[in-house]
Structure formats: C-alpha cells, structure tokens
Amino acid sequence: MFRGANAINLDSKGRLAIPTKHRQPLLDDCAGQLICTIDTQQSCLLLYPLPEWEEIELKLSKFSSNIEQERRKIRLLLGYAIDCEMDKSGRVLIPVPLRNHAKLDKEILLVGQLNKFEIWNSEIWAKRIEEDMEVERS
C-alpha cells in the first residue's frame, strides 16, 4: 500500500525517482512495470503497478461503448495509458503529453493512494489541499 506525499524533482529528461521505500515493493510486486495515465477528474497523473492497472482494465472492459459517459472514460484512461518501466536507478520516464496534461515542471509531488500514486505539480497540489481542507472544515 502506498501512502504519504513525497516532494520530488523531475530531471531534465522528464524522469522522476521513485522514493527508495517504494522501489523494492514495486520490484517484488510487478518487476518495476508501471502504467501512467491521466486522472479524468483532476489535473494530476495516476501511476499504477501493472497488476493494479490490469484490474482497472478488467473493469473498463465491462463498460458499454453505447453509453457515452463510459465510452469517454475508456477513451481518456486507455488513450493516455503509457507503459513505464522503473530503471535500475528507480526512475520512471513521464512522457511529454502526460507531463503537459498535469502541468508538471521541475517540482512535483508523488502522493500515495493505497494501490497507486498520484503525480502532481507542486503548486496545483498546494491549492488542491487548501480547497480540500476548506471543504473538510465546513
């Protein structure tokens, strides 16, 4: 299970270094095979270990192409899904279209969400947290 928020810098090639505490579990669970796609609700990316992503694909395969909302979800999640492999240094390359979608620049946050990570632009993350805290206080 992934938890916590880690401030990370993207390198000049658009790679992020997975925090050390998550590397071995990812190697054990999926040999470093990850899938990155967009979040259809927010300006962030979703990074799944391959077995978790396969469960998402199974759910999507049961959606109807005749229901526009389900078709749209399939189009967006699968259309942007990219295979990412963790390299020997624990880095993952985030492709340009995905970086553009989430407005990722140098400073990002990798946020554990149990079975996946969210990848956020650090400024957008700060605003999102502020908004979420306001709602929780209401």
Side-chain angles (χ1 to χ4, degrees), residues 16 35-48 76-77 80-81 94-105 107-113 116-126 128-129 132:
L16 67 88
I35 303 295
C36 191
T37 192
I38 64 170
D39 186 319
T40 60
Q41 304 295 314
Q42 304 182 77
S43 250
C44 70
L45 301 178
L46 305 173
L47 185 64
Y48 289 91
L76 291 170
L77 288 176
Y80 278 96
I94 306 299
V96 172
L98 295 179
R99 291 196 315 257
N100 289 343
H101 169 81
K103 300 173 180 63
L104 300 182
D105 49 25
E107 296 177 8
I108 64 169
L109 272 103
L110 185 69
V111 183
Q113 296 293 296
K116 66 182 175 291
F117 294 102
E118 293 178 342
I119 304 171
W120 289 85
N121 167 298
S122 60
E123 291 176 10
I124 295 172
W125 168 256
R128 173 84 263 158
I129 289 302
D132 289 346

Side-chain angles (χ1 to χ4, degrees), residues 51-90:
E52 294 291 335
W53 176 253
E54 289 170 339
E55 289 182 30
I56 300 294
E57 285 183 326
L58 185 59
K59 290 176 187 175
L60 291 173
S61 73
K62 295 177 180 162
F63 280 19
S64 171
S65 61
N66 295 323
I67 299 172
E68 183 57 33
Q69 182 179 4
E70 291 181 3
R71 216 166 114 195
R72 186 172 37 252
K73 183 76 105 176
I74 292 168
R75 183 183 311 120
L76 291 170
L77 288 176
L78 291 179
Y80 278 96
I82 300 290
D83 291 279
C84 301
E85 185 172 351
M86 199 168 56
D87 70 13
K88 293 176 185 174
S89 300

